[in-house]
């Protein structure tokens, strides 16, 4: 756990679709804002079909963009859907990944959200190397912290123990 200017950043191992104590969860979405594999599958399954129905008019979104919806059957207030870059295809990858984190935090602020949980966007089907993605995520969040008024807790939910350890290690090195 690290605290920057009163904002707590935490890493845990778990399922992004089972974080009942945060106001918003972030979806590693596809452009069509539909269900799929990985994070999007877990979130849409837990939220129910109304989530895809609500999102349909907002689709398609572009890499780096974020949109917000209700959480339906999930135990949260909101889902923030980010489209990460496909590694090796959507360029510049690092900027587009940073845009996801910046835009998600900005939308959270606009909705007075106090706590938000992120998965490791782009590191699954989209192929972004885990260490590089974690560095982009934490550097971007640290740079944005001064702008945050409502968000006081940021949680990273990693699927595997090794992904958790990578995130914990990189979070420690952020100056
Ligand atoms: P992307 O298409 O943006 O790469 P994925 O959903 O394929 O998104 O994967 C993003 C990351 O989330 C990967 O590291 C994957 O292991 C992890 N992941 C998959 N399912 C879950 C889940 N239910 N909760 C948290 N993380 C998950």
């Amino acid at each position: 756990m690290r605290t920057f200017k009163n904002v707590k950043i935490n890493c845990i191992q778990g399922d992004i679709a089972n974080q009942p104590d945060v106001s918003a969860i972030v979806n590693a979405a596809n452009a069509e804002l539909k269900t799929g594999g990985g994070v999007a599958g877990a979130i849409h399954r837990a939220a129910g079909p109304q989530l895809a129905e609500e999102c349909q008019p907002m689709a398609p979104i572009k890499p780096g963009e974020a949109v917000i919806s209700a959480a339906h059957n999930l135990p949260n207030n909101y889902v923030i859907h980010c489209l990460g870059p496909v590694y090796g295809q959507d360029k510049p990858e690092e900027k587009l990944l940073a845009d996801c984190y910046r835009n998600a935090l900005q939308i959270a602020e606009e909705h007075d959200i106090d706590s938000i949980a992120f998965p490791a966007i782009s590191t699954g089907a989209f192929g972004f190397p885990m260490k590089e993605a974690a560095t982009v995520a934490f550097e971007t969040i640290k740079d944005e912290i001064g702008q945050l008024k409502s968000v006081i807790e940021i949680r990273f939910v990693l699927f595997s123990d090794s992904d958790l350890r990578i995130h914990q290690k990189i979070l420690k090195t952020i100056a």
Side-chain angles (χ1 to χ4, degrees):
M1 209 265 282
R2 291 280 302 266
T3 304
F4 298 103
K5 297 190 179 151
N6 297 326
V7 180
K8 272 197 321 186
I9 306 180
N10 234 331
C11 302
I12 65 162
Q13 188 180 356
D15 177 0
I16 191 75
N18 185 21
Q19 302 298 320
D21 57 335
V22 294
S23 177
I25 60 169
V26 173
N27 183 14
N30 48 64
E32 298 305 322
L33 303 174
K34 290 182 174 161
T35 188
V39 167
I43 288 178
H44 280 269
R45 267 194 306 280
Q50 295 100 327
L51 179 63
E53 248 168 66
E54 181 191 351
C55 288
Q56 205 234 313
M58 296 187 278
I61 62 168
K62 295 194 189 77
E65 284 185 354
V67 295
I68 191 165
S69 73
H72 300 279
N73 294 334
L74 282 157
N76 314 99
N77 297 324
Y78 299 101
V79 179
I80 298 173
H81 307 260
C82 292
L83 179 61
V86 176
Y87 197 76
Q89 185 179 311
D90 298 317
K91 296 192 178 194
E93 290 107 337
E94 297 205 343
K95 184 206 172 263
L96 292 171
L97 186 60
D99 287 346
C100 286
Y101 287 96
R102 262 194 297 273
N103 289 328
L105 288 174
Q106 195 186 324
I107 288 186
E109 284 289 316
E110 287 163 10
H111 289 78
D112 259 330
I113 287 165
D114 63 353
S115 49
I116 182 168
F118 284 96
I121 299 170
S122 281
T123 64
F126 287 179
F128 214 115
M130 192 62 69
K131 283 183 196 161
E132 285 176 50
T135 306
V136 170
F138 292 137
E139 292 282 3
T140 305
I141 288 171
K142 198 204 79 187
D143 288 348
E144 290 300 302
I145 282 223
Q147 321 286 327
L148 302 180
K149 294 191 174 70
S150 60
V151 175
I152 53 170
E153 186 192 345
I154 300 173
R155 180 180 303 168
F156 275 76
V157 182
L158 293 319
F159 216 36
S160 74
D161 182 54
S162 66
D163 295 343
L164 172 64
R165 277 186 276 119
I166 288 171
H167 279 75
Q168 285 171 329
K169 197 170 153 193
I170 291 174
L171 180 57
K172 264 192 209 154
T173 68
I174 299 294

